[in-house]
């Protein structure tokens, strides 16, 4: 019996147990389907950090809720808990010790959810929906960073109702990522700002966008010494830019690649170009995963500049994705993202699949 | 620009019209893209060389140069770098380059087919060429129509009829500059490019229906309009003669009407709504998502002209009948969320350690308050959801 009490109406593929036997576009990859998915599109996913045993997955959705599942080693997912906002949840993140989850919502607030006590308190307030939330753990401070459509980036000590710091941005925040000591924020109008977080957050550099279309998602990657060294930026035009902060040879090191387009190289029919909805880096291999509105996910190796794998096409766009802390599990959420203008897509299938290590190990020969 | 040196222009590839900084790079490009054997991937030096290799080693004949644009696929022409390019093509290109530099004020096209990750053996791609290409591309695209003279006439008129279909959805674009997207077929370009030099039409272009030009020129003043997105550089091939009009200036989006994207092109279509706001912003504007959000200081562009997706269900809520299941999925009608900090006692009782066993928790959920603590949300439902 599902914990969240979802009715049985959902799931065009059934109430989603473990995939189906025939190939269907609902779960063509035959991945494990998460039970008790939210009732509206999923906007964000986050796995628990390595400091905690086990794998817990948090998903925020447009149904104003944030849900927590435990993902067990045998592939079972167990719904654990849920919290609500008064507006759609746009981003979630974990604290570094895994005891708290931070959630950001269209209701202009951000909350801290203490999982042990299952209590939430509001820790941030903006003047517009909060689009991104990240936990920053620096040697001399810790705080929550929130980026909002009110064009500000604020930093909050969770104990105080006033922000520790507030930085003005040129435009609305569309996506952000943090890997201490670096933070990247991509804004509307193709703005791109890098912040450095040592001592206290400050703007480091504004970068001219390597992409020609609206920014949609960004993810920082690290070098061999695990220091953040650059980021991958995705746009609505089916393209991702790999950008290093201080490369030896920018012209050669930075590049862009196309993805999430239909038709491949067939030029006879017009190509459909889809937005890249999320980018996620594998914590161990450093390969990146992109998910798009075309309903596929792909894995890429940015150093070899090759594509490793593309999934089959799902029947709905994939809106969020995330690797777990050791890279054995890849979770992705399939739900409508409003990218089609017409309203045909009026149902939301909001199921997450977990793509298990068994699949990933098959990739091994690509990576080696 | 290196217009007056090296045969009076930067090295460019005759097969595909791309520009390069250096002849060495050009040659590398040709070897990798045009003179590479598709069977064994051996790189040859010339077209005929490739043909001979395929015949001798693989016993296969090839009749056209791989990755070459139509009209430039002749395998028998011995071209190496810039050597061997027929004079006529040289002159055509020079002319095109000159026109381009006169007619346009800004030119940064979008990235073309470069640095494709699918092509992992590509050695001359990557950053550098990807960003230089754009500048060259528009010029390059001129070539096709200008190519063999006699053909040109045939091509253009042929090309023209081809246009309407592409621009069907956007008639206003024709007078303006068709928002040229990358990857646009070369056929498109000339149309655009031809427009400016209305009077100075190259002799090659007689076929270019002047009638077509008069249209645009009369409306040049209108062209750089709001329809052009904030993305200045990319789509401009401001072919319109109004040289002063720097097309594609980002219309200030501060007003409630967001800028629109250029999504149209014959070969590609952006699957994204037209307004240049993020998908989340678009969605958050829908009434169904605004119910419980504190009213004042609402986000920008709420005025967004009834996005079509409004039809999705945003408008419907009020009339919707509430089916037994309380679509208000948001409502804890099914009981159970732990959510509202109004402290659902049921949860605390179980201690609710999320990391504990799940079993004990279930019962406590059921005990949850039936009434939606969160205020009544209209039955916004999943229109069309499965019931």
């Amino acid at each position: 019996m599902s914990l969240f009490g979802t009715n049985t109406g959902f799931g065009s593929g059934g109430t989603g147990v473990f995939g189906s036997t025939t190939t269907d576009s609902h779960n063509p990859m035959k991945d494990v389907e998460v039970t008790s998915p939210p009732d509206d599109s999923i906007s964000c996913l986050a796995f628990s950090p390595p400091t905690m045993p086990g794998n817990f997955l948090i998903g925020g959705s447009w149904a104003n809720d944030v849900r927590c599942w435990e993902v067990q080693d045998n592939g079972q997912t167990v719904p654990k808990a849920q919290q609500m906002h008064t507006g759609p949840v746009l981003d979630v993140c974990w604290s570094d010790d895994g005891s708290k989850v931070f959630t950001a919502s269209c209701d202009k607030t951000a909350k801290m959810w203490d999982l042990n006590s299952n209590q939430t308190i509001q820790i941030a307030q903006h003047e517009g929906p909060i689009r991104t939330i990240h936990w920053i753990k620096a040697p001399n401070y810790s705080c929550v960073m929130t980026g909002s459509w009110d064009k500000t980036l604020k930093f909050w000590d969770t104990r105080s109702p006033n922000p520790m710091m507030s930085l003005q941005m040129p435009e609305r925040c569309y996506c952000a990522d943090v890997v201490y000591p670096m933070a990247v924020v991509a804004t509307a109008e193709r703005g791109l700002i890098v912040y450095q977080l040592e001592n206290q957050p400050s703007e480091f550099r504004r970068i001219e966008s390597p992409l020609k279309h609206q920014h949609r998602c960004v993810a920082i990657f690290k070098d061999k010494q695990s220091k953040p060294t650059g980021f991958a930026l995705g746009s609505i035009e089916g393209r991702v830019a790999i950008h290093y902060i201080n490369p030896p040879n920018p012209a050669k090191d930075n590049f862009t690649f196309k993805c999430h387009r239909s038709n491949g190289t067939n030029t006879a029919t017009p190509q459909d170009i889809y937005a890249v909805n999320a980018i996620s880096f594998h914590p161990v291999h450093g390969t990146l995963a992109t998910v798009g509105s075309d309903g596929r996910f792909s894995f890429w190796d940015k150093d070899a500049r090759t594509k490793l794998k593309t999934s089959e096409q799902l029947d709905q766009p994939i809106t969020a994705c995330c690797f777990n802390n050791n890279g054995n599990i890849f979770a992705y959420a399939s739900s409508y993202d409003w990218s089609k203008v017409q309203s045909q897509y009026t149902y939301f299938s909001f199921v997450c699949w977990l793509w298990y290590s068994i699949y990933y190990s098959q990739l091994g020969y690509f990576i080696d | 620009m290196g217009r007056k040196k090296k045969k009076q222009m930067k090295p460019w590839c005759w097969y595909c019209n791309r520009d390069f900084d250096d002849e060495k790079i050009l040659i590398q490009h040709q070897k990798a893209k045009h003179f590479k054997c598709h069977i064994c991937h051996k790189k040859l030096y010339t077209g005929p060389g490739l043909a001979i290799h395929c015949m001798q080693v693989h016993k296969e004949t090839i009749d056209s140069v791989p990755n070459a644009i139509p009209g430039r696929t002749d395998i028998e022409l011995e071209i190496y770098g810039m050597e061997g390019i027929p004079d006529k093509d040289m002159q055509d290109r020079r002319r095109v380059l000159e026109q381009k530099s006169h007619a346009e004020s800004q030119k940064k096209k979008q990235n073309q087919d470069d640095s494709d990750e699918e092509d992992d053996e590509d050695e001359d791609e990557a950053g550098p060429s990807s960003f230089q290409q754009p500048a060259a591309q528009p010029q390059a695209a001129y070539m096709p129509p200008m190519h063999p003279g006699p053909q040109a006439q045939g091509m253009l008129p042929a090309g023209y009829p081809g246009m309407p279909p592409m621009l069907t959805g956007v008639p206003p674009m024709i007078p303006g500059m068709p928002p040229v997207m990358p990857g646009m077929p070369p056929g498109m370009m000339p149309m655009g490019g031809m427009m400016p030099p209305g009077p100075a039409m190259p002799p090659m272009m007689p076929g270019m229906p002047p009638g077509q030009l008069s249209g645009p020129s009369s409306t040049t003043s209108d062209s750089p309009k709001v329809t052009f997105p904030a993305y200045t550089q990319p789509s401009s091939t401001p072919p319109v003669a109004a040289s002063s009009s720097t097309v594609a200036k980002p219309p200030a989006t501060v007003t409630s009407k967001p800028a629109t994207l250029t999504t149209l092109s014959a070969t590609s279509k952006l699957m994204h709504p037209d307004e240049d706001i993020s998908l989340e912003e678009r969605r958050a504007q829908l009434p169904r998502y605004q119910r419980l959000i504190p009213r004042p200081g609402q986000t920008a562009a709420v005025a967004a002209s009834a996005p079509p997706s409004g039809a999705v269900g945003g408008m419907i809520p009020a009339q919707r009948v509430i089916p037994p299941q309380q679509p208000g999925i948001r409502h804890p009608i099914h009981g159970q969320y732990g959510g509202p900090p109004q402290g659902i006692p049921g949860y605390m009782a179980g201690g609710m350690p999320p990391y504990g066993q799940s079993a004990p928790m279930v019962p406590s959920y059921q005990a949850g308050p039936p009434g939606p603590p969160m205020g009544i949300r209209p039955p916004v439902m999943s229109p069309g959801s499965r019931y």
Side-chain angles (χ1 to χ4, degrees):
Chain A
M1 177 56 198
S2 81
L3 192 58
F4 303 123
T6 47
N7 59 41
T8 56
F10 303 152
S12 47
T15 38
V17 195
F18 285 44
S20 50
T21 48
T22 55
T23 309
D24 64 317
S25 56
H26 192 60
N27 183 7
M29 301 299 288
K30 304 268 188 354
D31 293 322
V32 176
E33 198 167 321
V34 170
T35 54
S36 299
D39 302 326
D40 201 341
S41 303
I42 294 149
S43 56
C44 48
L45 291 174
F47 265 107
S48 51
T51 41
M52 271 179 38
N55 289 301
F56 291 86
L57 176 66
I58 296 280
S61 84
W62 283 79
N64 304 0
D65 62 0
V66 190
R67 301 192 179 198
C68 175
W69 295 267
E70 177 184 4
V71 180
Q72 291 164 346
D73 294 333
N74 61 359
Q76 289 247 13
T77 55
V78 181
K80 285 292 189 185
Q82 174 175 336
Q83 289 290 342
M84 303 292 294
H85 267 267
T86 50
V89 175
L90 295 185
D91 200 11
V92 291
C93 75
W94 289 79
S95 62
D96 61 300
D97 60 358
S99 63
K100 316 266 191 306
V101 169
F102 300 96
T103 59
S105 162
C106 283
D107 62 10
K108 310 178 192 171
T109 69
K111 297 194 181 181
M112 174 169 80
W113 179 10
D114 183 326
L115 293 161
N116 291 319
S117 63
N118 198 27
Q119 293 266 33
T120 62
I121 59 170
Q122 179 178 336
I123 51 155
Q125 178 73 48
H126 269 267
E127 276 150 42
I130 305 182
R131 177 71 184 89
T132 65
I133 189 163
H134 291 84
W135 171 250
I136 299 177
K137 175 97 174 103
N140 58 333
Y141 72 96
S142 310
C143 67
V144 175
M145 178 179 98
T146 53
S148 161
W149 290 344
D150 67 1
K151 308 188 187 179
T152 62
L153 193 66
K154 297 195 190 215
F155 299 81
W156 308 83
D157 177 330
T158 57
R159 298 161 294 197
S160 156
N162 293 321
M164 288 165 34
M165 176 181 288
S166 176
L167 296 175
Q168 189 64 35
M169 296 190 293
E171 256 291 355
R172 299 151 279 169
C173 172
Y174 276 179
C175 50
D177 194 15
V178 169
V179 172
Y180 185 81
M182 175 168 131
V184 173
V185 176
T187 68
E189 306 296 328
R190 299 163 57 233
L192 194 51
I193 311 163
V194 179
Y195 296 85
Q196 71 83 26
L197 304 171
E198 271 179 83
N199 282 330
Q200 65 170 24
S202 61
E203 198 176 298
F204 174 70
R205 191 188 293 171
R206 293 206 178 175
I207 300 182
E208 171 148 356
S209 172
L211 296 175
K212 301 286 194 289
H213 280 81
Q214 183 192 116
H215 296 161
R216 183 125 179 88
C217 49
V218 69
I220 294 177
F221 55 82
K222 302 190 271 204
D223 60 15
K224 303 262 189 325
Q225 290 79 34
S226 285
K227 297 250 175 311
T229 180
F231 55 87
L233 176 69
S235 75
I236 58 170
E237 186 238 354
R239 196 181 290 267
V240 172
I242 299 287
H243 193 96
Y244 289 82
I245 299 294
N246 279 321
N249 190 345
K252 282 179 86 93
D253 296 334
N254 297 335
F255 65 96
T256 71
F257 62 90
K258 299 194 286 196
C259 50
H260 300 293
R261 296 172 178 217
S262 63
N263 292 342
T265 50
N266 170 15
T267 48
T269 52
Q271 191 180 53
D272 291 331
I273 301 179
Y274 294 88
V276 182
N277 283 331
I279 302 178
S280 204
F281 277 90
H282 191 281
V284 173
H285 298 302
T287 48
L288 71 143
T290 62
V291 296
S293 290
D294 57 346
R296 295 180 197 262
F297 61 84
S298 297
F299 295 97
W300 313 81
D301 181 338
K302 67 175 197 327
D303 301 312
R305 302 201 184 182
T306 56
K307 183 195 295 195
L308 299 170
K309 177 184 171 74
T310 296
S311 72
E312 295 302 316
Q313 182 161 25
L314 275 72
D315 55 359
Q316 297 212 80
I318 304 184
T319 49
C321 71
C322 153
F323 282 98
N324 77 330
N325 59 64
N326 60 10
N328 284 344
I329 309 176
F330 176 67
Y332 56 98
S334 156
S335 42
Y336 186 49
D337 60 358
W338 252 253
S339 53
K340 296 262 167 119
V341 179
Q342 279 73 28
S343 57
Q344 303 113 327
Y345 293 72
T346 55
Y347 62 92
F348 349 93
S349 138
F350 8 116
V351 277
C352 309
W353 283 282
L354 303 183
W355 193 81
Y356 258 90
S357 56
I358 181 168
Y359 293 96
Y360 207 77
S361 61
Q362 286 168 5
L363 280 189
Y365 70 93
F366 282 106
I367 298 170
D368 293 344
Chain B
M1 290 272 306
R3 234 184 335 138
K4 288 301 181 190
K5 56 181 180 185
K6 272 229 188 171
K7 319 234 169 113
Q8 294 172 350
M9 57 179 99
K10 290 176 74 141
W12 55 282
C13 177
W14 179 82
Y15 293 103
C16 61
N17 275 331
R18 279 170 59 173
D19 254 358
F20 298 88
D21 276 338
D22 198 66
E23 185 155 12
K24 265 210 219 46
I25 302 181
L26 164 64
I27 290 174
Q28 280 179 3
H29 152 82
Q30 288 178 336
K31 285 176 66 172
K33 275 280 192 319
H34 305 301
F35 304 148
K36 183 155 91 169
C37 174
H38 67 286
I39 305 170
C40 65
H41 300 304
K42 181 175 168 72
K43 297 195 186 90
L44 285 308
Y45 288 88
T46 65
L50 173 64
I52 292 169
H53 160 85
C54 281
M55 176 57 72
Q56 290 179 341
V57 176
H58 308 295
K59 313 283 189 282
E60 251 203 36
T61 48
I62 62 173
D63 52 7
S64 63
V65 172
N67 296 313
I69 59 181
R72 296 288 180 85
T73 61
D74 190 353
I75 193 104
E76 314 231 329
L77 257 193
E78 176 125 2
I79 292 189
Y80 182 70
M82 293 288 278
E83 292 167 33
I85 296 183
D87 275 339
K88 197 170 48 51
D89 295 329
M90 270 301 218
Q91 286 158 19
D92 292 345
R93 177 129 181 120
R94 205 169 302 139
R95 197 175 308 127
V96 160
L97 284 176
E98 284 165 27
Q99 280 172 3
K100 269 292 164 177
S101 61
H102 288 325
E104 297 170 15
S105 40
Q106 269 201 4
K107 190 191 339 238
K108 257 183 264 170
K109 275 203 77 175
Q110 307 204 2
N111 292 344
Q112 293 287 336
D113 297 7
D114 42 31
S115 33
D116 270 359
E117 296 238 331
E118 290 88 39
D119 191 355
D120 53 351
E121 287 193 273
D122 209 332
E123 55 190 29
D124 71 337
E125 296 306 51
S129 44
S130 76
F131 291 96
Q132 289 159 8
Q133 285 311 317
Q137 224 27 35
Q139 308 156 10
Y142 271 111
M143 293 320 288
M146 307 200 70
H147 191 40
Q151 262 190 31
Q153 260 94 21
M155 264 181 77
L156 289 181
Y160 183 59
M163 272 190 59
M166 297 190 253
L167 302 181
T168 323
V170 214
M173 297 298 198
I174 300 187
M177 26 267 114
V180 173
M181 280 289 287
M184 245 191 6
M188 258 302 255
M189 291 302 296
M191 298 309 144
M194 291 317 141
M195 296 199 201
M201 257 197 299
M204 294 288 291
M205 297 292 117
M208 194 62 180
Q212 180 198 90
L213 294 184
S214 55
S217 44
S218 61
T219 57
T220 41
S221 54
D222 282 343
S223 42
K225 250 327 144 46
V226 191
T227 47
F228 284 49
Y231 308 119
T232 69
Q233 308 81 349
S235 44
S236 51
T237 346
V240 184
S243 46
S244 58
S245 75
T246 42
V247 174
K249 263 307 186 293
T253 51
V254 281
T255 55
S256 58
K257 174 137 174 68
T260 52
L261 304 175
T262 50
T263 57
L264 220 30
S265 134
T267 55
S268 59
K269 178 173 178 301
L270 265 190
M271 307 302 288
H272 193 277
D274 279 338
E275 293 114 4
D276 186 22
I277 55 176
S278 71
L279 293 176
E280 288 78 28
E281 278 175 304
R282 194 155 198 269
R283 192 170 182 177
Q285 290 161 10
L286 299 178
R288 67 202 280 177
Y289 291 117
Q290 303 223 331
R291 279 293 144 184
L292 303 176
I293 297 172
R295 261 300 138 174
Q298 196 45 310
T299 54
V302 175
S305 41
S309 56
V312 167
M315 313 311 179
I316 312 187
Q319 300 97 0
R320 276 303 203 162
V321 172
I322 306 176
Q325 309 162 282
Q326 279 322 356
I329 296 164
R330 330 235 167 147
H331 299 244
I333 302 295
H334 319 291
Q336 357 56 26
Y337 317 129
Q342 283 93 11
I344 314 295
Y347 299 126
M348 296 303 95
M352 219 21 177
Y355 314 127
Q357 288 65 30
S358 54
M361 293 210 255
V362 180
S364 51
Y365 276 105
Q366 306 303 352
M374 54 207 71
I376 315 308
R377 208 199 189 97
V380 195
M381 41 187 311
S382 23
S385 74
R386 12 317 185 347
Y387 276 89

